[in-house]
Amino acid sequence: MGKTRLYKAIYEITRAINSSLRPKKVLSQIAEKVAKEMDVKGCFIRLLDRSGDVLLADASYGLSERYEKKGPVEVSKSRIDQEVLKGAILSIADVRNDDRFQYPEEAAKEGLVSLVVLPLTARGEKVIGVLRVYSGEKREFSEEELDFLKCVADLSGLALENARMFHALKRASELADDYTYRVDD
C-alpha cells in the first residue's frame, strides 16, 4: 500500500464515521474499506458482550456466511483474543499452525492463512472489541499496514463511543421529556 492510498482510505473511513451514528452501518463500511484497500480476503469486527466473556460478530466483509456464523468467540477459549484484549497487536503468518486460534478447522475451510488482530479501544484505554484482517495466502504485514490498521481500529473505537454517547443522550432527553409531560399532566 502506498502512503497516498493509505491516506485516502483513512479519509474515506473518517467520512463514513461522520456520516452516520448507526454503529453497524459504519463498522460494515470500515470492514469493507479495510479489506479492499489492503487487498485481503476479509475483515471482521467483533465487540465484547456486556459480560466481557464473548466477542460478538458485529461487521464483516469478504467472509462467507458460514464462517461468520461459525460460533461465538469465547475469550476463555481464544488465547489470541486474550492477548489482544490486553492491548497487544498480533500478526500471525499461518493460523492453520497456531494453537491459539479457536476455530482452526473453520479457518482452513474458509481458506484463511495469515491474520492480524488489533484491539478496539474506547476513550483510548478500555478495550471494547477486536479488528481482524485475514489473508488467503501467507503474508507478512508491513509496519505501514500495521500503522494503518491501528489508525482504523482507533477510529472504529471512536465511532462506537460517539454512537453510544449519542444514544445515551437521546435516551436521557426522551426520559426527561416523558417526566416533564407526566409532571405537567
Side-chain angles (χ1 to χ4, degrees):
M1 294 182 78
K3 284 187 178 181
T4 303
R5 188 173 171 188
L6 288 177
Y7 291 136
K8 186 176 178 189
I10 289 170
Y11 171 73
E12 290 175 8
I13 287 170
T14 305
R15 286 185 55 142
I17 290 169
N18 284 332
S19 70
S20 176
L21 287 169
R22 294 184 4 227
K24 236 182 188 13
K25 177 182 177 186
V26 171
L27 294 179
S28 292
Q29 290 175 334
I30 290 171
E32 179 180 354
K33 193 71 184 163
V34 166
K36 287 181 176 176
E37 290 300 325
M38 293 192 68
D39 194 27
V40 293
K41 185 168 180 64
C43 179
F44 214 141
I45 298 173
R46 290 184 173 271
L47 301 178
L48 280 170
D49 71 350
R50 288 186 185 272
S51 70
D53 297 332
V54 178
L55 284 162
L56 303 171
D58 208 75
S60 69
Y61 181 82
L63 303 168
S64 70
E65 188 174 331
R66 176 191 51 79
Y67 188 76
E68 291 174 356
K69 295 180 179 178
K70 65 186 176 304
V73 174
E74 298 174 49
V75 175
S76 64
K77 294 180 180 176
S78 174
R79 292 191 336 231
I80 289 172
D81 291 306
Q82 290 172 19
E83 292 178 42
V84 172
L85 292 172
K86 291 177 184 171
I89 298 171
L90 294 182
S91 180
I92 299 170
D94 194 339
V95 295
R96 298 170 299 185
N97 301 321
D98 194 306
D99 65 352
R100 296 174 295 172
F101 203 70
Q102 186 178 356
Y103 294 102
E105 293 173 15
E106 286 79 5
K109 287 179 189 171
E110 187 73 8
L112 305 177
V113 181
S114 295
L115 168 70
V116 175
V117 188
L118 302 97
L120 297 181
T121 57
R123 292 181 227 135
E125 57 189 48
K126 182 181 177 188
V127 179
I128 57 174
V130 298
L131 171 74
R132 296 172 177 236
V133 175
Y134 301 94
S135 174
E137 63 275 341
K138 199 168 187 173
R139 177 172 171 172
E140 296 287 330
F141 292 92
S142 70
E143 283 300 316
E144 193 171 77
E145 290 174 319
L146 293 176
D147 286 344
F148 168 71
L149 290 173
K150 287 179 206 171
C151 182
V152 170
D154 287 345
L155 288 171
S156 299
L158 181 65
L160 290 167
E161 189 63 15
N162 284 346
R164 187 192 68 75
M165 288 173 39
F166 171 77
H167 291 292
L169 286 173
K170 184 178 174 188
R171 178 76 180 130
S173 175
E174 290 169 352
L175 288 173
D177 287 346
D178 189 40
Y179 177 76
T180 301
Y181 289 129
R182 287 185 188 166
V183 170
D184 292 343
D185 287 341

